[in-house]
Amino acid sequence: MKRTRTVKKKCLTRKELKTFLLLKLNSLYRDVNLEPDRIEAYLEEIRKTSEDKRKLMMNVYAKYYSPEKVTDYSGLPKRECDMTSEMLDFSAGFESYLNSIEEEYNVIVKQKREAVALLSLVLSLKQPYSRILYFRYYKKMSTKETCEKLHIARSTLFRKRENALWELSKLFAVRNDIEVVDDF
């Protein structure tokens, strides 16, 4: 007997979907183009050989988190097992440090992929919808600049932008298995 996996569609109202898309569109340029310094440094480290990378990352981690040897004022020297315990904690911390950097990198890569997918959806809309959304949200042009570029009136721009957002919402919903319900 073959099991079929039922995929539960997300259900959003038109208003919720539009709000979500506007948030994504407002950060579209940044999400597609900008890379934080930490990610750029991490990518540089990935390009190095595995052992070199591990040593370098250990040095960075040790700089901030290594236990420092200080004089024990109680007069009792530390036992060897105490130091071993500290080093084991240090090593475990290093592994979690590497994992956290990798997780942060994966989140940014996912965010970038989603932004590129949204930009491609915007560009796949028919004209002038694609140009309106592209100029307003990716190029960050003002309303006046967009009207001048497209040779249309301000009221026409707003009307066409609403239509463009609705068309984009429908495309986005289909691509992401979202069921759109009417607002009540």
mmCIF file of all heavy atoms in Angstrom, residues 26 50 183:
data_model
loop_
_atom_site.group_PDB
_atom_site.id
_atom_site.type_symbol
_atom_site.label_atom_id
_atom_site.label_comp_id
_atom_site.label_asym_id
_atom_site.label_seq_id
_atom_site.Cartn_x
_atom_site.Cartn_y
_atom_site.Cartn_z
ATOM 1 N N ASN A 26 9.816 45.667 -0.197
ATOM 2 C CA ASN A 26 10.536 46.811 0.366
ATOM 3 C C ASN A 26 11.985 46.482 0.716
ATOM 4 O O ASN A 26 12.832 47.366 0.745
ATOM 5 C CB ASN A 26 9.795 47.370 1.580
ATOM 6 C CG ASN A 26 8.595 48.184 1.171
ATOM 7 O OD1 ASN A 26 8.613 48.873 0.158
ATOM 8 N ND2 ASN A 26 7.526 48.092 1.938
ATOM 9 N N SER A 50 40.284 22.639 4.279
ATOM 10 C CA SER A 50 39.543 22.292 5.487
ATOM 11 C C SER A 50 40.377 22.470 6.753
ATOM 12 O O SER A 50 39.920 23.066 7.730
ATOM 13 C CB SER A 50 39.054 20.853 5.373
ATOM 14 O OG SER A 50 38.348 20.481 6.512
ATOM 15 N N ASP A 183 -11.065 38.672 1.680
ATOM 16 C CA ASP A 183 -11.165 39.353 2.970
ATOM 17 C C ASP A 183 -12.631 39.440 3.375
ATOM 18 O O ASP A 183 -13.504 39.559 2.532
ATOM 19 C CB ASP A 183 -10.575 40.772 2.888
ATOM 20 C CG ASP A 183 -9.108 40.741 2.509
ATOM 21 O OD1 ASP A 183 -8.385 39.870 3.012
ATOM 22 O OD2 ASP A 183 -8.695 41.604 1.702
#
